[in-house]
Amino acid sequence: MTAATRSTLFPQVPDSADAVLDGLDPEQREVATALHGPVCVLAGAGTGKTRAITHRIAYGVRAGILHPSSVLAVTFTNRAAGEMRGRLRQLGAAGVQARTFHSAALRQLQYFWPKAIGGSMPRLVDRKVQLVADAAAACRIRLDRGELRDVTAEIEWSKVTQTVPADYAPAAAKAGRETPRAPAEIAQLYAAYEDVKRERAVIDFEDVLLLTVAVLQDRHDIAEQVRAQYQHFVVDEYQDVSPLQQRLLDLWLGDRDSLCVVGDASQTIYSFTGATPDHLLDFRTRHPGATVVKLVRDYRSTPQVVHLANGLLAQAKGRAADHRLELVSQRAAGPEPVYSEYTDEPAEAEGAARRIRELIDSGVPAAEIAILFRTNAQSETYEQALADAAVPYQLRGAERFFDRPEVRKAGIALRGAARFGGNDSLLDDAVDLPSQVRAVLSGEGWTTQPPAGSGAVRERWESLAALVNLAQDFSAAQPGATLADLVAELDERANAQHAPTVQGVTLASLHSAKGLEWDVVFLVGVAEGMMPITYAKTDEQIEEERRLLYVGVTRARERLHVSWALSRSPGGRPSRRPSRFLDGLRPGSTAATGRTAAGGAGGIERGIPGTRGSTPRRVQRTPARCRVCGRTLTDAGEMKLMRCDGCPSDMNEGLYERLREWRADQARRSGQPAFCVFTDRTLMAIAETAPDDEHELARIPGVGMRKLNRYGTDVLAICAGQLAGGDTDQD
């Protein structure tokens, strides 16, 4: 379902730092080697952003530039954090912290609570709906189930935007929010909710961030302790950060700029939770010296799918549209998207199920097919249609794989067999690891043939079958592996939430599908009133709906089916029409009038160090070539020197030795290894170039803005024949 599952399950760990860079395209390589100063990666859908940033961290660790425990990689879901940890482990960079904002903050809050506040930390509640219901009862306000959910969402939005109850009404009005009750009532419920929490000595997930921010703001000693631990930060899905998360990130950073952010404004689909792309779009303003790398090579989808995705955004409006990326497919041509119109929603569901049945019968794995819809309420119709067609399915957002009862029981059985297998008659005829796993899981309900029909029995079988398939892949990758080795692998995957693929068509909302991909995607219910949704009224809300459809389109690798129904139920009046977002894109339709947004090309833009607020200059992406023989350079070390290792060097040996002596003195003063000041390669590049000014020095790979500000004056003085500090070198 993800890019990770498409690659080799158990790849070999690269044998060197430079080997980590193998297979990266020029822009991805730029991300991986830009280890100093602020870096902003604008990454379109399917362009390998996770690959780029994990290789960046791994390259820094393997090259000795970054210490694993000093790196904090932050993302937005436990699944994404788990996948990142798994990839880093495969690249030989175990030990790097990859967490969600909440997980990282909770860990720090738990550790520092006794020192900062004293006593026991309040209990963390997983769900706040019951507390909101109790607050409503205290206020004598009756809320139905829908209102309860919506008021809870308003409280969450208020907290991540750092809005207190007294300020809720004007803040909601300014943000243009459609409130489920009168703003004054929600403010009253919000205040009562906070009172209930205090009375019961509990906190919620938003409090974790708020309290961590408060501790770091008020206790400078604790803030410095955190900053001493984490020296380098990477933030994935940066377009989704809330003001509260940005405040926490600022406190983690302090006055440093060792930050890499990754995002795509065209995939901003969570603004209702307080997320905003402004931090991503304003990054260059906040960090004028930042390197900006744009990834537009789409490795996921065919040109036909990419063409539709680009077309969707071509008529987009607003600030995010001004920064959209024009994707360029790197894959071979595939089939054109299929557009289907149905009389009613049940007919649409039956049509999708029928086509899926045909695809599975033709050899397409069920796990490589997804049905994506706008609201979870649409799911039931498709569940019934798939069951009627005898198509296995799984619901995205349901229980996590390793939390399923049958998976937990299977793990216990495999662990027992690993310890006492010699006395287990089930294993008497098992000659290798896969046969041992099949024998053990047969006692838990696994059979060679799946059960008929669908439902809970089929889902349990699919879970066990996923473990059997994983054992086969593991054994093929590691001949001679034992049950104990497999159990250890399962433990690591459970900790990382890196689940094996379950064989079943995925049913998911468009929001929950973000970050996933399939060979075949059915986008259903793409009609006015559902896409855009009825309650999307403002221009900003309409544009977010457009981006949501864009996310859905870009989940497809090879085949895309788009459908809509003219009425909701059989016999209903056919009053619906296809979504306006498809105008000019589906056959037989005409394009909407209005401006067409210009797409951004890929490449690298570098800020000019030392010129805060200046307009960044654009640097065209060209291959790095040896300045002696002209050969294209791919090795990271050679790219630093801008020459082949075998080509003659024109280095000033005396300057190189003076730089080495100066570096050793700096390292002693700061109490850090010499390479943390400058690596040998960077010193050699400086000695070969002998820069005259900051601009020449800044162009040398390995000299970022932070090091330029810290060491630039000394280095330029040494290059000019002076001693660091301004004295003339009489030698």
Side-chain angles (χ1 to χ4, degrees), residues 390-406:
V391 173
Y393 64 87
Q394 58 175 333
L395 293 174
R396 178 68 189 167
E399 197 171 29
R400 294 191 297 187
F401 181 83
F402 289 103
D403 292 337
R404 297 176 185 176
E406 65 271 17

Side-chain angles (χ1 to χ4, degrees), residues 249-492:
L249 179 61
D250 290 340
L251 288 165
W252 281 340
L253 273 169
D255 60 359
R256 300 166 300 174
D257 62 2
S258 188
L259 170 66
C260 174
V261 301
V262 189
D264 178 10
S266 295
Q267 296 188 67
T268 304
I269 59 174
Y270 295 109
S271 65
F272 60 91
T273 68
T276 170
D278 289 346
H279 304 298
L280 175 67
L281 299 178
D282 292 338
F283 191 83
R284 205 57 177 287
T285 302
R286 291 163 58 95
H287 303 278
T291 296
V292 177
V293 184
K294 297 180 180 179
L295 305 183
V296 297
R297 303 174 200 248
D298 188 319
Y299 297 96
R300 176 188 298 159
S301 304
T302 63
Q304 288 73 17
V305 173
V306 167
H307 177 72
L308 175 57
N310 287 335
L312 276 173
L313 296 184
Q315 293 293 333
K317 303 174 183 177
R319 193 175 180 211
D322 292 337
H323 293 80
R324 77 180 183 92
L325 299 170
E326 185 86 26
L327 299 178
V328 182
S329 176
Q330 306 297 299
R331 296 195 56 181
E336 292 290 339
V338 176
Y339 299 89
S340 302
E341 182 174 277
Y342 294 91
T343 56
D344 52 63
E345 290 182 3
E348 184 181 7
E350 291 168 8
R354 185 170 57 252
R355 292 195 177 197
I356 290 171
R357 181 73 266 171
E358 293 169 355
L359 287 168
I360 294 174
D361 291 342
S362 70
V364 178
E368 293 297 350
I369 304 173
I371 298 177
L372 306 183
F373 34 73
R374 177 61 180 85
T375 67
N376 287 318
Q378 295 168 269
S379 174
E380 185 177 356
T381 303
Y382 289 89
E383 290 179 54
Q384 185 61 53
L386 291 175
D388 291 344
V391 173
Y393 64 87
Q394 58 175 333
L395 293 174
R396 178 68 189 167
E399 197 171 29
R400 294 191 297 187
F401 181 83
F402 289 103
D403 292 337
R404 297 176 185 176
E406 65 271 17
V407 174
R408 291 202 301 268
K409 287 182 63 180
I412 294 171
L414 290 170
R415 194 180 306 278
R419 289 180 180 174
F420 311 110
N423 299 319
D424 191 338
S425 60
L426 277 175
L427 303 183
D428 287 347
D429 297 326
V431 295
D432 56 14
L433 177 60
S435 60
Q436 289 175 335
V437 172
R438 288 193 293 269
V440 172
L441 296 186
S442 65
E444 300 299 321
W446 178 80
T447 57
T448 55
Q449 294 298 320
S454 58
V457 173
R458 178 61 183 249
E459 288 183 11
R460 285 195 294 271
W461 184 90
E462 294 286 358
S463 296
L464 298 178
L467 294 175
V468 171
N469 293 333
L470 181 66
Q472 292 171 340
D473 292 329
F474 187 66
S475 179
Q478 299 188 25
T482 65
L483 266 177
D485 296 328
L486 178 64
V487 168
E489 174 67 21
L490 289 174
D491 286 342
E492 290 191 8

Side-chain angles (χ1 to χ4, degrees), residues 691-725:
D692 293 326
D693 55 38
E694 285 190 349
H695 292 287
E696 288 186 19
L697 179 58
R699 282 197 289 267
I700 296 174
V703 180
M705 185 159 184
R706 181 176 63 84
K707 291 191 177 183
L708 183 70
N709 291 335
R710 186 170 183 178
Y711 303 125
T713 302
D714 281 359
V715 171
L716 290 173
I718 295 170
C719 290
Q722 300 174 336
L723 295 175

Side-chain angles (χ1 to χ4, degrees), residues 22-34:
D22 291 346
L24 300 182
D25 67 30
E27 290 78 27
Q28 291 172 344
R29 180 181 285 264
E30 181 70 24
V31 175
T33 55

Side-chain angles (χ1 to χ4, degrees), residues 33-377:
T33 55
L35 293 171
H36 303 288
V39 177
C40 178
V41 184
L42 301 177
T47 57
K49 69 178 179 63
T50 305
R51 177 179 174 82
I53 59 175
T54 51
H55 281 68
R56 179 182 195 271
I57 296 169
Y59 176 70
V61 169
R62 299 291 297 277
I65 299 170
L66 304 176
H67 192 279
S69 64
S70 72
V71 180
L72 179 59
V74 188
T75 187
F76 281 80
T77 66
N78 288 320
R79 183 196 61 80
E83 180 180 346
M84 192 176 292
R85 287 193 296 271
R87 291 201 193 189
L88 290 170
R89 178 164 60 94
Q90 293 168 355
L91 292 170
V96 172
Q97 292 292 314
R99 297 179 174 275
T100 64
F101 270 102
H102 286 89
S103 173
L106 179 60
R107 194 163 180 253
Q108 292 174 17
L109 192 63
Q110 289 170 331
Y111 182 81
F112 290 111
W113 188 277
K115 179 178 179 180
I117 297 157
S120 300
M121 183 175 154
R123 180 174 62 87
L124 178 63
V125 293
D126 292 332
R127 300 178 70 249
K128 55 176 68 70
V129 171
Q130 185 57 53
L131 295 177
V132 175
D134 294 343
C139 296
R140 297 183 179 180
I141 296 175
R142 296 179 63 87
L143 299 176
D144 61 31
R145 182 178 299 178
E147 289 176 321
L148 191 59
R149 182 192 64 237
D150 292 343
V151 169
T152 300
E154 287 303 297
I155 291 174
E156 291 174 348
W157 173 82
S158 300
K159 299 184 80 165
V160 300
T161 56
Q162 303 174 81
T163 302
V164 298
D167 296 334
Y168 170 79
K174 183 178 180 181
R177 294 185 71 81
E178 292 282 339
T179 59
R181 300 288 290 246
E185 274 191 319
I186 294 179
Q188 182 185 4
L189 289 167
Y190 180 13
Y193 168 78
E194 293 298 315
D195 290 339
V196 169
K197 284 199 292 113
R198 277 190 293 271
E199 291 168 3
R200 300 180 187 180
V202 297
I203 59 174
D204 59 29
F205 278 103
E206 288 72 40
D207 290 328
V208 170
L209 299 184
L210 287 163
L211 289 167
T212 305
V213 164
V215 168
L216 296 178
Q217 283 181 161
D218 296 343
R219 292 291 299 269
H220 296 292
D221 56 329
I222 292 177
E224 289 305 315
Q225 192 172 341
V226 172
R227 292 167 192 157
Q229 169 70 48
Y230 296 116
Q231 305 290 323
H232 191 87
F233 297 85
V234 177
V235 184
D236 193 12
E237 304 288 3
Y238 193 58
Q239 78 278 352
D240 290 333
V241 295
S242 68
L244 179 56
Q245 289 164 333
Q246 180 62 48
R247 180 60 186 141
L248 178 59
L249 179 61
D250 290 340
L251 288 165
W252 281 340
L253 273 169
D255 60 359
R256 300 166 300 174
D257 62 2
S258 188
L259 170 66
C260 174
V261 301
V262 189
D264 178 10
S266 295
Q267 296 188 67
T268 304
I269 59 174
Y270 295 109
S271 65
F272 60 91
T273 68
T276 170
D278 289 346
H279 304 298
L280 175 67
L281 299 178
D282 292 338
F283 191 83
R284 205 57 177 287
T285 302
R286 291 163 58 95
H287 303 278
T291 296
V292 177
V293 184
K294 297 180 180 179
L295 305 183
V296 297
R297 303 174 200 248
D298 188 319
Y299 297 96
R300 176 188 298 159
S301 304
T302 63
Q304 288 73 17
V305 173
V306 167
H307 177 72
L308 175 57
N310 287 335
L312 276 173
L313 296 184
Q315 293 293 333
K317 303 174 183 177
R319 193 175 180 211
D322 292 337
H323 293 80
R324 77 180 183 92
L325 299 170
E326 185 86 26
L327 299 178
V328 182
S329 176
Q330 306 297 299
R331 296 195 56 181
E336 292 290 339
V338 176
Y339 299 89
S340 302
E341 182 174 277
Y342 294 91
T343 56
D344 52 63
E345 290 182 3
E348 184 181 7
E350 291 168 8
R354 185 170 57 252
R355 292 195 177 197
I356 290 171
R357 181 73 266 171
E358 293 169 355
L359 287 168
I360 294 174
D361 291 342
S362 70
V364 178
E368 293 297 350
I369 304 173
I371 298 177
L372 306 183
F373 34 73
R374 177 61 180 85
T375 67
N376 287 318

